[in-house]
């Protein structure tokens, strides 16, 4: 049984005193979101600098192939998490065996990522052969397996810090990893698309290492990989339902780089990936707000409805502001990467940023349903989103990247309509404080 218990982490003075003082008067939702936002701004800035250097040092075809590999690794790592990363945010604060729960989630994630990585490595030649005359090297397949495992574990460690309401640790880790990320393209220049993927893997490995050090700092012990099925049992249903919903939510954006690579070519895949980095920035605040909402709403004494109302207000202001900013500044940023990227993706960018508001509201509704155990309705809403997006992409693909942008917007609007129906259709609301036994 999962019950309220004393937190197993110890307080620490590790942090950013000036930044923490500035946030001292904010509520827990806003303060947690602000730390996570600052963390992602640092990561996004380092990511843009990394891809700017890559675009300058590598030909577009190699950039496109590397982005497809990174997308594949992200897709498999996301599947390997099994939803247990979200379950940690929901149940770790009230678990009676937090250390055993954490160790079991880490062990299960590593096993699932290993299996997914081996399957991906076996399929790697099918991805490389159509766009590269050189065969996939064995080291690239082995590296893909390792990167998938590290990426999956990195997501789990981030969830631990969010669950323990220590998002400042993520800010520090991302700052250090982002600094190193900017150095790698110069060191690996001229070594092919595999070097770009290797740089991504090295940064991911550094993030995992720093996270383990941070967990040692805050919890007082080194996490171990010990799988205990009995500990995972009470949260498995929530984890699997969350994973299914998250997979459906991410599936279009994770699969589309591979579709664009196969149908439109490597250069178009590079343009799509780099433009989506800017589009994704419009949802950065939303992601941080809903993670803070899930963590705050999962506390034993949380008042969820006021938190949700504040979250909706924050999301509306942030998404509209960032969408306008991306529309104005995005083409200029693409021009910094190179004229071929600006020419290939500017129209895509201007259309795709229109989806920022429906994406933000859908994520708040998603979190509301998780907190109220409305997982079945959440699944139906995500299924409607995926089906609508797939149908729209089938129509838009012959029209190039602009058609794909319109397809993504139509899919997000359909998803928002489905979430509205899921949240407001009459249904018996379970108590938020109820936990599985």
């Amino acid at each position: 049984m999962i019950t309220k218990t004393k937190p197993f982490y110890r307080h620490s003075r590790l942090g950013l005193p000036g930044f923490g003082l500035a946030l001292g008067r904010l509520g827990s939702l806003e303060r947690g979101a602000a730390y996570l936002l600052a963390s992602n701004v640092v990561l996004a800035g380092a990511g843009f600098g990394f891809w700017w250097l890559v675009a300058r040092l590598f030909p577009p075809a190699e950039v496109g192939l590397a982005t497809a590999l990174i997308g594949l690794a992200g897709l498999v790592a996301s599947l390997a998490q099994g939803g247990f990363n979200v379950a940690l945010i929901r149940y770790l604060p009230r678990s009676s065996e937090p250390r055993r729960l954490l160790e079991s989630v880490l062990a299960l994630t590593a096993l699932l990522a290993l299996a997914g990585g081996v399957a991906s490595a076996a399929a790697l030649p099918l991805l490389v052969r159509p766009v590269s005359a050189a065969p996939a090297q064995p080291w690239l397949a082995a590296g893909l397996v390792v990167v998938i495992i590290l990426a999956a574990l990195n997501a789990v460690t981030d969830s631990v810090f969010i669950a323990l309401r220590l998002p400042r640790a993520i800010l520090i880790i991302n700052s250090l990893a982002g600094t190193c990320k900017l150095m790698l393209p110069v060191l690996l220049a001229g070594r092919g698309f595999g070097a770009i993927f290797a740089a991504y893997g090295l940064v991911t490995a550094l993030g995992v290492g720093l996270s383990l050090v941070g967990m040692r700092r805050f919890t007082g012990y080194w996490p171990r990989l010990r799988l205990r099925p009995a500990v995972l049992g009470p949260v498995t249903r929530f984890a699997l339902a969350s994973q299914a919903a998250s997979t459906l939510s991410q599936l279009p954006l994770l699969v589309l780089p591979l579709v664009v690579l196969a149908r439109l070519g490597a250069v178009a895949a590079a343009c799509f990936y780099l433009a989506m980095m800017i589009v994704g920035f419009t949802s950065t605040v939303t992601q941080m707000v809903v993670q803070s909402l899930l963590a705050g709403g999962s506390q034993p004494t949380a008042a969820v409805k006021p938190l949700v109302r504040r979250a909706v207000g924050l999301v509306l202001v942030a998404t509209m502001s960032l969408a306008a900013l991306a529309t104005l500044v995005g083409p200029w940023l693409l021009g910094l990467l190179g004229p071929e990227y600006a020419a290939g993706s500017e129209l895509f960018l201007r259309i795709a940023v229109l989806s920022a508001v429906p994406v933000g509201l859908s994520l708040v509704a998603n979190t509301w349903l998780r907190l109220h155990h409305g997982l079945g309705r959440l699944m139906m809403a995500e299924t409607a989103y995926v089906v609508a997006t797939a149908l729209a992409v089938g129509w838009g693909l012959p029209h190039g990247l602009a058609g794909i942008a319109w397809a993504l917007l139509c899919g997000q609007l359909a998803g928002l309509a489905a979430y509205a129906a899921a949240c407001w259709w009459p249904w018996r609301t379970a108590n938020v404080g109820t936990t599985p036994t």
Side-chain angles (χ1 to χ4, degrees):
M1 177 179 295
I2 299 174
T3 58
K4 179 180 177 181
T5 186
K6 182 179 179 180
F8 75 99
Y9 63 90
R10 62 189 184 191
H11 294 284
S12 171
R13 296 184 182 275
L14 179 62
L16 303 177
F19 189 59
L21 182 61
L23 300 179
R25 295 185 178 182
L26 296 179
S28 59
L29 174 68
E30 291 83 359
R31 185 167 55 250
Y35 270 116
L36 292 173
L37 174 61
S39 170
N40 276 265
V41 167
V42 169
L43 202 59
F48 183 83
F50 172 83
W51 286 109
W52 182 84
L53 291 171
V54 166
R56 288 284 185 270
L57 298 172
F58 294 84
E62 291 185 353
V63 176
L65 190 53
T67 57
L69 280 176
I70 293 172
L72 175 63
L75 172 61
V76 178
S78 175
L79 294 173
Q81 293 160 34
F84 286 96
N85 58 318
V86 180
L88 283 177
I89 300 175
R90 182 71 176 91
Y91 293 115
L92 189 63
R94 62 180 72 206
S95 174
S96 60
E97 298 180 294
R99 296 188 181 185
R100 290 175 179 267
L101 176 60
L102 172 57
E103 292 171 352
S104 297
V105 169
L106 288 172
L108 181 60
T109 300
L111 289 174
L112 293 175
L114 175 61
V118 171
S120 301
L124 187 59
L126 299 177
L127 174 65
V128 175
R129 190 180 299 121
V131 292
S132 177
Q137 300 296 324
W139 69 265
L140 186 61
L144 180 62
V145 175
V146 174
V147 168
I148 288 172
I149 296 173
L150 292 173
L153 292 177
N154 198 34
V156 172
T157 56
D158 282 353
S159 295
V160 173
F161 292 125
I162 295 172
L164 301 182
R165 310 185 83 173
L166 296 170
R168 67 183 184 275
I170 303 177
L171 173 58
I172 296 170
I173 291 167
N174 284 354
S175 299
L176 295 174
T179 301
C180 296
K181 188 174 187 177
L182 294 174
M183 305 176 186
L184 293 176
V186 177
L187 298 176
L188 299 174
R191 300 179 183 273
F193 70 88
I196 304 174
F197 184 69
Y200 170 80
L202 289 173
V203 173
T204 305
L206 178 62
V208 172
L210 291 173
S211 295
L212 293 177
V213 172
M215 290 171 66
R216 170 68 176 179
R217 170 77 176 182
F218 285 112
T219 67
Y221 83 109
W222 287 102
R224 302 175 183 178
L225 301 181
R226 292 183 178 179
L227 183 59
R228 300 177 176 88
V231 177
L232 294 176
V235 302
T236 298
R237 179 179 177 273
F238 178 90
L240 294 180
S242 295
Q243 177 62 29
S246 297
T247 300
L248 289 172
S249 176
Q250 299 174 22
L251 193 58
L253 296 182
L254 291 172
V255 172
L256 270 177
L258 304 178
V259 174
V260 173
L261 177 67
R263 295 290 298 275
L264 302 180
V267 175
C271 292
F272 172 84
Y273 188 88
L274 296 175
M276 282 304 299
M277 286 180 57
I278 299 175
V279 174
F281 179 71
T282 63
S283 298
T284 302
V285 175
T286 299
Q287 295 283 354
M288 304 309 101
V289 169
V290 297
Q291 287 182 1
S292 184
L293 173 61
L294 181 60
S298 299
Q299 303 303 312
T301 59
V304 177
K305 287 186 178 180
L307 289 176
V308 171
R309 285 193 292 267
R310 286 156 53 193
V312 169
L314 287 172
V315 165
L316 285 174
V317 172
T319 52
M320 290 188 289
S321 301
L322 291 177
L325 181 63
T327 301
L328 294 174
V329 180
W332 175 75
L333 293 175
L334 291 171
L336 291 179
L337 296 173
E340 63 273 30
Y341 299 111
S345 56
E346 182 175 345
L347 180 58
F348 171 88
L349 174 66
R350 293 185 183 278
I351 299 170
V353 295
L354 298 176
S355 63
V357 172
V359 169
L361 295 177
S362 294
L363 286 173
V364 174
N366 180 300
T367 306
W368 169 267
L369 292 173
R370 291 177 193 268
L371 289 170
H372 286 80
H373 307 297
L375 298 178
R377 298 178 187 278
L378 189 155
M379 285 289 297
M380 289 189 289
E382 290 294 350
T383 301
Y385 157 67
V386 171
V387 171
T389 302
L391 293 174
V393 168
W395 166 85
L397 195 58
H399 301 280
L401 290 180
I404 292 177
W406 284 115
L408 290 175
L409 178 58
C410 291
Q412 293 294 351
L413 290 173
L416 178 58
Y419 266 114
C423 289
W424 278 282
W425 192 265
W427 58 294
R428 183 169 60 87
T429 303
N431 292 327
V432 175
T434 304
T435 56
T437 58

